[in-house]
């Protein structure tokens, strides 16, 4: 409801006159908040106190906090997320393109008076390592009417009022991303129905993000997905300067030779990206190798002066999925959320009496004493309807938000403005019976082809045929901002400018035994053994076995010291099933044909692969 006599609240004096002030005034006039507050990261303690007093956060042990979002507001909404521009050529298969003018009118109407009674927080942020040449693409100002969004942004981005002064002094003060997040009445937005009134729009050619109808995660922390992925990938293409991808980034150091490599990798959700980014070496290799963490979700990559691909993580925190995170799957994450870290847990189970938190997979079974425990909806466990007895305590998409500086495996050069050179790019889906443990593909076009055909197996019968992939090109399906053919061209253009391009490889930790469905590879820390083989291949110290779909390791070349695994399982893990691959290639033909103007280099790799497979069994 819009008050009739709206008296615009005062914009704080520390917002210099100019484009930022105008931007705030414009949206305050539309959303009509009661007050406007400018945020700096140093305000965190006071804001935490305020959120605790208001009951928006609860204490979760020393220096840790718990928040619960509305039960209808617990995940990113892909259907309600659009990319809008003034150029219809930006329409792709996955980006839900709409004309900018239409979307702007719709959003202005939706946002009318929607922040009445609330505070508009002004969050100036940087999604980059300070000093990086890409920092000019990374400054943004998010206006939000939700305090927990502010607190999460402080953990996920570099938040500082200094950016406002820098913008005022800049020769191009208009060059910042304008973000507006308005929560709306999250209980009454018709989520998931035909009357769903949420709308999450990136107006890419105006560098503006307007999200209505959620205070949760990727819908609401605009610096993360909307800016650092969707908009940044658009900017990267527009300027020709860089790639912005949903990739993890890690370093591997051989302490004997002193050599360090860097690996970037794209994995569809639920394929273990955060666990891999934070992995520790297996015990048997721990004396020799060190794995360091740069980022678990986003990498910006560009051509360095030395002709190598460079990467940085634009984020300043980790917004990790809590489910199944424990000391075995991800000890570094457990350490990063320890007491005193300022971690915010969202939608996990919470104990009102002790302040403890719990999620499925945290321990093998739920806490034995249910006193004080509530599930993620806030319902006391002891009062849940008996028919809900087996319902999870935590929401499957429950999260922890912690600053990068809490990650003890953080690489010492993680905030080097120069970024780090990338030696290897891996793609990893979740595939039960076709993808070998690892295969190297040769050349830039083959790398792009492999990324574009990345996918995870449909897990529910309703999602698709058994074993058929839900394709997730480069793990960017929900974040693509322009047409896929142009996206592939831009990837090739960047790679072709490199004199020393990275090696591309595909990995699969999820192969199952045909006879009993058990996982053939132990995964987690043991995955380093596979990465080490890929790095050795790049360095020319192993050669592997060529197959029609790439080069796979030989059993002898894998460093398996300290690992008990059957030879038969290893053979299966490294086997390429030609018939299954031919079936996959037919699905890929349909998948790639959807993309307008896909570069011929990519089609050539596809045809070459099909021909190589056909040669295996001449009919
Ligand atoms: C995602 C995320 O939704 O990283 O992919 O939160
Ligand atoms: Mn992600």
């Amino acid at each position: 409801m819009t008050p009739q006599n709206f008296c615009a609240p005062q914009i704080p004096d520390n917002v210099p006159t100019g484009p930022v002030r105008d931007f705030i005034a414009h949206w305050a006039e539309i959303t009509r908040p009661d007050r406007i507050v400018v945020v700096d990261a140093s305000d965190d303690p006071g804001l935490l106190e305020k959120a605790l007093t208001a009951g928006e956060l609860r204490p979760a042990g020393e220096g840790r906090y718990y928040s619960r979002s509305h039960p209808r507001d617990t995940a990113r909404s892909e259907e309600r997320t659009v990319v809008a521009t003034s150029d219809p050529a930006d329409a792709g298969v996955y980006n839900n393109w709409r004309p900018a003018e239409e979307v702007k009118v719709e959003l202005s109407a939706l946002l009318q008076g929607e922040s009445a009674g609330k505070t508009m927080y002004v969050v100036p942020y940087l999604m980059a390592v300070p000093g990086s040449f890409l920092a000019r693409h990374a400054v943004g100002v998010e206006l939000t009417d939700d305090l927990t969004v502010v607190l999460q942004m402080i953990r996920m981005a570099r938040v500082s009022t200094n950016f406002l002064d820098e913008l005022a002094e800049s020769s191009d003060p208009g060059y910042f991303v304008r973000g507006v997040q308005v929560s709306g009445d999250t209980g009454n937005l018709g989520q998931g129905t035909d009357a769903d009134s949420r709308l999450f729009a990136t107006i890419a050619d105006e560098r503006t993000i307007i999200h209505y109808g959620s205070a949760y995660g990727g819908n609401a922390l605009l610096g993360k997905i909307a800016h650092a992925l969707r908009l940044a990938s658009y900017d990267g293409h527009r300027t020709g300067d860089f790639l912005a991808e949903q990739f993890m980034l890690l370093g591997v150091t051989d302490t004997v030779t002193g050599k360090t490599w860097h690996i970037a990798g794209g994995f569809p959700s639920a394929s273990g990206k955060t666990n891999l980014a934070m992995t520790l070496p297996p015990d048997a290799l721990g004396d020799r190798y060190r794995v360091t963490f740069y980022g678990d979700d986003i990498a910006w990559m560009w051509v360095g002066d030395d002709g190598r691909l460079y990467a940085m993580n634009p984020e300043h925190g980790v917004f990790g999925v809590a489910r199944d995170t424990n000391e075995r799957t991800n000890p570094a994450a457990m350490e990063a959320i320890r007491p005193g870290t300022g971690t915010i847990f969202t939608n996990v189970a919470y104990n009102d009496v002790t302040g403890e938190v719990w999620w499925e997979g945290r321990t093998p079974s739920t806490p034995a004493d249910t006193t004080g425990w509530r599930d993620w909806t806030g319902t006391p466990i002891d009062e849940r309807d008996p028919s809900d007895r087996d319902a999870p305590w935590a929401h499957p998409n429950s999260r922890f938000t912690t600053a990068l500086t809490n990650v003890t495996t953080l690489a010492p050069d993680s905030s080097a403005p120069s970024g780090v050179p990338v030696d290897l790019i891996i793609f990893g889906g979740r595939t039960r019976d076709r993808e070998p443990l690892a295969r190297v593909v040769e050349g830039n076009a083959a790398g792009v082809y492999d990324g574009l055909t990345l996918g995870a197996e449909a897990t529910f019968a309703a999602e698709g045929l058994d074993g058929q992939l839900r394709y997730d090109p480069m793990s960017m399906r929900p974040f693509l901002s322009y047409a896929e053919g142009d996206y592939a061209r831009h990837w090739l253009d960047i790679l072709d400018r490199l004199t020393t391009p990275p090696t591309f490889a595909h990995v699969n930790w999820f192969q199952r035994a045909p006879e009993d469905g058990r996982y053939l590879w132990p995964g987690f820390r043991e995955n380093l053994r596979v990465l080490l083989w890929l790095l050795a291949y790049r360095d020319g110290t192993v050669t592997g076995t060529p197959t029609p779909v790439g080069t796979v390791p030989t059993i002898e070349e894998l460093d398996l010291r300290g690992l008990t695994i059957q030879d038969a399982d290893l053979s299966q893990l490294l086997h390429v099933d030609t018939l299954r691959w031919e079936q996959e290639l037919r699905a890929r033909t349909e998948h790639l044909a959807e993309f307008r103007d896909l570069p011929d280099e990519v089609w050539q790799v596809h045809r070459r692969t099909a021909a190589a497979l056909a040669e295996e069994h001449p009919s």
Side-chain angles (χ1 to χ4, degrees):
M1 204 176 55
T2 309
Q4 291 303 307
N5 300 316
F6 173 67
C7 175
Q10 186 90 25
I11 300 178
D13 292 342
N14 57 349
V15 181
T17 313
V20 177
R21 207 173 173 91
D22 296 347
F23 161 64
I24 298 169
H26 174 79
W27 285 102
E29 187 64 35
I30 294 173
T31 65
R32 306 199 157 195
D34 282 8
R35 65 199 78 75
I36 300 175
V37 170
V38 178
V39 176
D40 185 270
S42 62
D43 299 328
D44 195 55
L47 294 171
L48 285 169
E49 212 41 61
K50 187 171 168 183
L52 288 167
T53 309
E56 289 176 50
L57 285 187
R58 284 151 224 231
E62 187 219 328
R64 302 196 303 182
Y65 308 91
Y66 174 62
S67 95
R68 201 177 276 142
S69 70
H70 191 282
R72 293 204 184 122
D73 184 27
T74 54
R76 256 186 316 104
S77 161
E78 291 182 16
E79 318 75 61
R80 301 298 303 159
T81 300
V82 304
V83 173
T85 68
S86 302
D87 185 358
D90 287 328
V93 176
Y94 297 128
N95 68 349
N96 292 338
W97 180 87
R98 288 184 57 191
E101 281 316 311
E102 189 183 294
V103 166
K104 282 195 286 186
V105 169
E106 197 172 319
L107 278 162
S108 291
L110 281 169
L111 265 57
Q112 284 296 330
E114 283 292 293
S115 299
K118 298 186 180 179
T119 299
M120 173 191 273
Y121 294 95
V122 177
V123 185
Y125 67 83
L126 180 74
M127 293 307 295
V129 169
S132 151
F133 97 103
L134 290 178
R136 67 198 164 89
H137 296 286
V139 182
V141 177
E142 173 167 355
L143 310 180
T144 169
D145 62 5
D146 188 281
L147 182 52
T148 56
V149 169
V150 175
L151 290 164
Q152 305 224 31
M153 277 296 284
I154 289 177
R155 282 151 185 74
M156 294 304 297
R158 292 163 172 94
V159 170
S160 169
T161 50
N162 291 341
F163 303 133
L164 296 178
D165 302 328
E166 284 169 23
L167 279 169
E169 284 159 20
S170 140
S171 58
D172 185 4
Y175 205 71
F176 65 97
V177 171
R178 291 155 166 79
V180 184
Q181 179 270 329
V182 170
S183 309
D185 179 4
T186 42
N188 289 298
L189 299 174
Q191 288 97 328
T193 70
D194 288 348
D196 198 330
S197 61
R198 298 171 300 163
L199 187 54
F200 308 111
T202 295
I203 304 163
D205 50 358
E206 297 182 27
R207 308 195 77 234
T208 297
I209 300 161
I210 308 175
H211 281 199
Y212 171 69
S214 172
Y216 191 79
N219 296 329
L221 313 176
L222 301 187
K224 182 178 172 62
I225 283 168
H227 179 166
L229 278 179
R230 241 175 246 122
L231 186 55
S233 84
Y234 192 88
D235 280 350
H237 175 237
R238 182 178 53 81
T239 57
D241 278 354
F242 67 111
L243 298 162
E245 306 297 327
Q246 191 190 212
F247 283 5
M248 61 96 213
L249 184 62
L250 61 78
V252 177
T253 298
D254 179 342
T255 58
V256 172
T257 63
K259 180 159 183 175
T260 294
W261 302 265
H262 299 99
I263 306 175
F267 293 74
S269 55
S271 302
K273 182 157 58 78
T274 301
N275 293 343
L276 181 64
M278 292 187 172
T279 198
L280 303 178
D283 287 338
L285 306 186
D287 284 345
R288 175 152 185 187
Y289 296 102
R290 212 174 57 235
V291 185
T292 50
F293 172 79
Y294 289 85
D296 76 320
D297 200 39
I298 305 180
W300 287 10
M301 296 179 289
W302 65 95
V303 179
D305 293 338
D306 60 357
R308 299 176 75 184
L309 188 69
Y310 277 73
M312 72 161 168
N313 170 16
E315 303 196 84
H316 193 45
V318 179
F319 181 60
V321 175
R323 188 184 202 138
D324 288 332
T325 304
N326 57 49
E327 276 79 6
R328 183 178 75 88
T329 60
N330 196 336
M334 294 306 293
E335 183 75 13
I337 59 178
R338 65 196 180 277
T341 50
T343 302
I344 299 176
F345 297 96
T346 307
N347 293 347
V348 297
Y350 178 71
N351 191 311
D352 269 346
V353 180
T354 61
E356 287 168 283
V357 287
W358 189 86
W359 50 85
E360 272 65 28
R362 165 76 189 84
T363 49
S365 44
T366 50
D369 179 359
T370 52
T371 314
W373 281 104
R374 291 175 184 264
D375 71 11
W376 66 275
T377 67
T379 308
I381 294 296
D382 292 338
E383 290 171 27
R384 299 208 302 181
D385 193 294
S387 64
D388 284 342
R389 238 208 8 238
D390 296 329
W393 285 26
H395 189 280
N397 190 36
S398 55
R399 301 280 183 141
F400 56 84
T401 316
T402 188
L404 281 192
T405 43
N406 290 323
V407 182
T408 48
T409 57
L410 188 66
D413 58 350
S414 68
S415 39
S418 59
V420 292
V422 178
D423 300 285
L424 177 67
I425 294 185
I426 53 177
F427 296 112
R430 180 182 265 277
T431 319
R432 71 165 43 226
D433 70 346
R434 178 183 45 80
E435 274 295 351
L437 184 60
R439 58 183 171 90
V440 177
V441 298
E442 296 299 338
N444 295 343
V448 172
Y449 170 72
D450 196 62
L452 293 176
T453 51
L454 173 64
E457 234 156 48
T459 40
F460 305 103
E463 268 181 39
L465 298 174
D466 215 20
Q468 188 159 313
L469 293 192
R470 178 183 190 263
Y471 290 107
D472 186 350
M474 303 271 184
S475 67
M476 284 289 282
R477 179 178 171 135
F479 315 116
L480 288 169
S481 53
Y482 58 104
E484 291 79 3
D486 296 339
Y487 171 80
R489 177 81 270 151
H490 179 50
W491 255 96
L492 289 173
D493 287 349
I494 292 269
L495 293 173
D496 290 346
R497 281 161 55 197
L498 303 168
T499 48
T500 314
T503 298
F504 283 91
H506 202 103
V507 297
N508 177 27
W509 320 133
F510 300 100
Q511 226 187 112
R512 307 253 199 160
E515 60 287 1
D516 57 8
R518 86 199 126 82
Y519 286 109
L520 289 170
W521 179 249
F524 303 111
R525 293 163 71 164
E526 309 302 337
N527 294 339
L528 181 66
R529 301 174 190 274
V530 178
L531 302 184
L532 289 172
W533 181 84
L534 292 168
L535 295 170
Y537 180 87
R538 175 173 174 81
D539 287 356
T541 54
V542 295
T543 52
T545 309
T547 80
V549 293
T551 304
V552 299
T554 64
I555 295 180
E556 302 69 40
E557 287 169 346
L558 287 167
D559 187 342
L560 299 172
R561 271 173 297 160
L563 178 67
T564 309
I565 183 164
Q566 306 292 325
D567 269 1
D569 286 358
L570 280 168
S571 300
Q572 179 68 34
L573 280 161
L574 300 172
H575 173 68
V576 169
D577 176 342
T578 313
L579 289 176
R580 272 294 281 117
W581 269 97
E582 289 192 313
Q583 187 189 352
E584 165 61 13
L585 270 266
R586 285 192 288 278
R588 287 184 179 185
T589 306
E590 280 177 41
H591 162 62
L592 295 176
E594 287 194 288
F595 302 153
R596 208 174 59 240
D597 300 329
L598 191 67
D600 195 49
E601 294 95 304
V602 176
W603 278 119
Q604 280 172 24
V605 178
H606 182 62
R607 287 192 291 268
R608 216 170 45 230
T609 310
L613 285 164
E615 253 180 48
E616 289 279 292
H617 54 89
S619 49

